[in-house]
């Protein structure tokens, strides 16, 4: 059996090596390293794939969030409702722009923002809601969009972990993650579902005026070279990364299906186990399993992690400390925030290896070892 890893980028590369190497070589031949034609090509390809009017590539997923908030003209002190249970970048940009993060609880089953907890956090200062499509599963967008309409709020979908997935609305219409809110942001970090070979990110929107503003913010606040209208930043996707992504986008559905197959297998093996709660599949969401994260009940997580490690099985804790408990927020009002589900989840979750190259014997070994360890501990 091959060595177990959380992700296997090497095997994935080797399968498409010729196409990738060719795409990189083409960029080298033309030396159009910045804003080469592959960048616009990627934007068009993604617009088609996601069925969205505008895709604006940028340097990474954190920048995408920052650019979204800048383009929406959020001002110092404006309140942004976001889950605390997320990768820290979601909340970090809020603080960086001197906006006020208002931490919302998550649903204990889906790990995404608890739509029942949002409304009571809305104040006259609230400007935006940032649902995070965590671990590859869409947040429940219909009620979020209803609230946004009622209170005139922007919705910024943090779609860094769920590109390739979609949401089925009450009306039965399927929409790609990141294309429902005012704007969506994503990341092409190598281990993400659509990963490049370095840093990369993008924004998605159906609002043409906003798309223009996003392009301007990402390009030094200028529409015309050397004429700077607003404060912006410099956030570009490298041409080489765009060339790689143009190749990999063709495989994204296959990659998502491969992840779903691993999840199916784990789900089956762990079904009805009293100490394991497998990741919930919400009826509205096509889950693309960026992570396979389960909740351990009545078993010491760290012991399980350690014993798996001894068997050569890596695991990760996403995330050990929720955003509102991070040191940088202490003294800034976050110490009064009480989020029971979030706090509980951070002590009980564990993520097993899941990726596009997982082999049958690897899945079997991981699942049987996991069960063996848990059954011995309970
Ligand atoms: C990865 C990630 C980001 C940041 O993306 P980078 O490309 O690493 O900057 C933001 N939000 C979430 C939820 C993520 O998982």
């Amino acid at each position: 059996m091959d060595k177990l890893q959380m992700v296997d980028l090497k095997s994935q590369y080797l399968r498409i090596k010729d196409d990738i190497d060719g795409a990189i070589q083409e960029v080298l031949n033309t030396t159009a390293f910045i804003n080469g034609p592959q960048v616009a090509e990627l934007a068009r390809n993604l617009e088609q794939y996601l069925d969205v009017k505008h895709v604006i590539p940028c340097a990474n997923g954190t920048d995408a969030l920052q650019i979204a908030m800048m383009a929406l003209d959020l001002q110092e002190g404006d309140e942004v409702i976001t889950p605390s249970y997320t990768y820290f970048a979601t909340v970090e940009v809020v603080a960086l722009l001197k906006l006020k993060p208002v931490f919302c609880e998550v649903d204990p089953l889906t790990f995404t923002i608890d739509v029942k907890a949002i409304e009571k956090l809305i104040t006259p200062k609230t400007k935006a809601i940032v649902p995070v499509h965590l671990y590859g599963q869409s947040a429940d967008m219909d009620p979020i969009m209803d609230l946004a309409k009622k209170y005139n709020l922007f919705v910024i979908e943090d779609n860094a972990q769920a590109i390739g997935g979609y949401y089925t609305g009450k009306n039965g219409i399927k929409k790609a993650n990141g294309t429902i809110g005012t704007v969506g942001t994503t990341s092409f970090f190598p281990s993400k579902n659509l990963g490049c070979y370095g840093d990369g990110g993008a924004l998605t929107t159906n609002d043409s005026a906003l798309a223009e503003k996003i392009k301007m913010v990402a390009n030094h606040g200028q529409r015309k070279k050397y004429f700077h209208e607003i404060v912006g930043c410099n956030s570009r996707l490298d041409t080489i990364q765009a060339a790689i992504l143009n190749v990999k986008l063709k495989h994204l559905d296959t990659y998502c299906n491969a992840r779903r197959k691993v999840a199916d297998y784990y789900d089956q093996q762990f079904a009805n186990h009293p100490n394991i709660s497998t990741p919930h599949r919400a009826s509205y969401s096509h889950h693309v399993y960026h992570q396979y994260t389960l909740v351990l009940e009545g078993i010491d997580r760290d012991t399980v992690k350690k014993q798996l490690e001894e068997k050569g099985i890596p695991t990760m804790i996403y995330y050990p400390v929720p955003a509102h408990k991070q040191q940088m927020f202490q003294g800034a009002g976050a110490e009064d925030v009480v989020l029971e589900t979030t706090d509980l989840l951070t002590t009980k979750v564990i993520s097993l290896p899941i990726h596009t190259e997982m082999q049958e014997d690897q899945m079997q070994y991981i699942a049987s070892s996991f069960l063996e360890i848990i059954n011995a501990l309970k």
Side-chain angles (χ1 to χ4, degrees):
M1 187 177 68
D2 291 344
K3 183 174 179 286
L4 295 166
Q5 306 172 75
M6 289 302 287
V7 282
D8 184 353
L9 297 177
K10 181 77 181 281
S11 304
Q12 195 193 55
Y13 162 61
L14 291 176
R15 278 180 196 237
I16 52 172
K17 182 177 186 311
D18 288 348
D19 289 351
I20 293 280
D21 292 3
I24 293 174
Q25 189 60 53
E26 197 179 312
V27 180
L28 298 180
N29 292 346
T30 57
T31 66
F33 299 121
I34 298 291
N35 286 334
Q38 289 86 346
V39 180
E41 197 187 316
L42 174 70
R44 302 296 89 77
N45 289 340
L46 278 169
E47 284 161 5
Q48 203 168 24
Y49 176 84
L50 299 168
D51 192 18
V52 69
K53 275 195 193 146
H54 305 279
V55 170
I56 303 100
C58 68
N60 57 69
T62 309
D63 273 11
L65 284 159
Q66 183 186 329
I67 292 163
M69 290 176 201
M70 287 171 76
L72 291 170
D73 220 8
L74 302 190
Q75 298 294 323
E76 184 166 346
D78 284 351
E79 293 179 6
V80 176
I81 297 174
T82 144
S84 171
Y85 187 71
T86 178
Y87 178 58
F88 192 64
T90 317
V91 179
E92 183 180 30
V93 297
V94 175
L96 179 75
L97 295 173
K98 297 195 161 54
L99 313 172
K100 183 171 183 265
V102 176
F103 297 109
C104 188
E105 189 57 284
V106 288
D107 179 276
L109 291 178
T110 62
F111 312 125
T112 55
I113 194 164
D114 180 357
V115 295
K116 298 180 300 301
I118 297 173
E119 192 162 16
K120 55 181 174 290
L121 300 176
I122 296 174
T123 76
K125 285 185 150 181
T126 308
K127 287 288 157 56
I129 306 170
V130 186
V132 180
H133 304 320
L134 204 72
Y135 304 149
Q137 171 147 260
S138 167
D140 190 2
M141 291 303 291
D142 276 343
I144 295 171
M145 296 311 290
D146 288 347
L147 280 174
K149 200 164 171 197
K150 181 170 168 192
Y151 292 97
N152 197 23
L153 307 174
F154 301 122
V155 175
I156 303 166
E157 292 175 65
D158 184 343
N159 190 32
Q161 301 189 1
I163 194 164
Y166 53 81
Y167 177 80
T168 307
K170 286 187 293 250
N171 55 11
I173 296 174
K174 295 177 166 62
K175 287 188 177 168
N177 294 339
T179 68
I180 297 170
T182 320
V183 57
T185 65
T186 196
S187 164
F188 305 125
F189 185 83
S191 62
K192 297 279 157 89
N193 283 30
L194 177 62
C196 60
Y197 294 174
D199 273 310
L203 297 100
T204 46
T205 183
N206 284 304
D207 179 335
S208 300
L210 180 62
E212 283 314 304
K213 189 88 181 284
I214 287 169
K215 282 183 207 163
M216 197 155 82
V217 170
N219 183 26
H220 300 290
Q222 63 190 352
R223 246 184 293 234
K224 191 170 155 204
K225 207 167 168 69
Y226 305 126
F227 292 83
H228 306 274
E229 297 171 44
I230 54 173
V231 175
C233 58
N234 173 27
S235 187
R236 297 181 287 236
L237 180 71
D238 286 359
T239 310
I240 288 181
Q241 301 306 338
I244 290 163
L245 288 165
N246 280 324
V247 173
K248 290 191 71 180
L249 180 57
K250 297 191 193 108
H251 301 278
L252 180 56
D253 287 341
T254 309
Y255 290 161
C256 290
N257 287 334
R259 289 174 178 275
R260 284 169 59 86
K261 259 184 73 182
V262 180
D264 287 345
Y265 179 78
Y266 284 155
D267 275 2
Q268 251 171 35
Q269 298 304 306
F270 307 147
N272 305 317
H273 193 289
N275 304 93
I276 306 172
S277 149
T278 55
H280 181 73
R281 301 179 188 214
S283 57
Y284 50 74
S285 166
H286 181 77
H287 200 321
V288 290
Y289 293 96
H290 174 59
Q291 300 298 343
Y292 187 87
T293 302
L294 34 78
V295 181
L296 286 179
E297 296 293 350
I299 299 259
D300 182 55
R301 175 185 67 187
D302 298 329
T303 308
V304 174
K305 185 169 172 45
K306 196 162 150 278
Q307 294 191 5
L308 283 166
E309 214 165 275
E310 284 159 6
K311 287 175 169 286
I313 301 170
T315 56
M316 290 292 284
I317 308 302
Y318 301 115
Y319 297 91
V321 183
H324 74 285
K325 292 260 175 85
Q326 294 289 343
Q327 193 186 335
M328 67 141 293
F329 279 122
Q330 306 317 303
E335 56 283 356
D336 304 328
V337 174
V338 179
L339 299 172
E340 282 175 24
T341 303
T342 296
D343 288 344
L344 213 59
L345 284 176
T346 51
T347 66
K348 291 182 172 182
V349 289
I350 186 163
S351 301
L352 299 183
I354 190 165
H355 55 75
T356 61
E357 311 303 312
M358 197 96 110
Q359 291 151 16
E360 204 96 347
D361 58 343
Q362 294 180 314
M363 291 193 265
Q364 283 165 4
Y365 177 71
I366 293 167
S368 62
S369 306
F370 188 64
L371 285 171
E372 204 177 290
I373 288 169
I374 299 215
N375 291 334
L377 284 171
K378 76 178 185 193

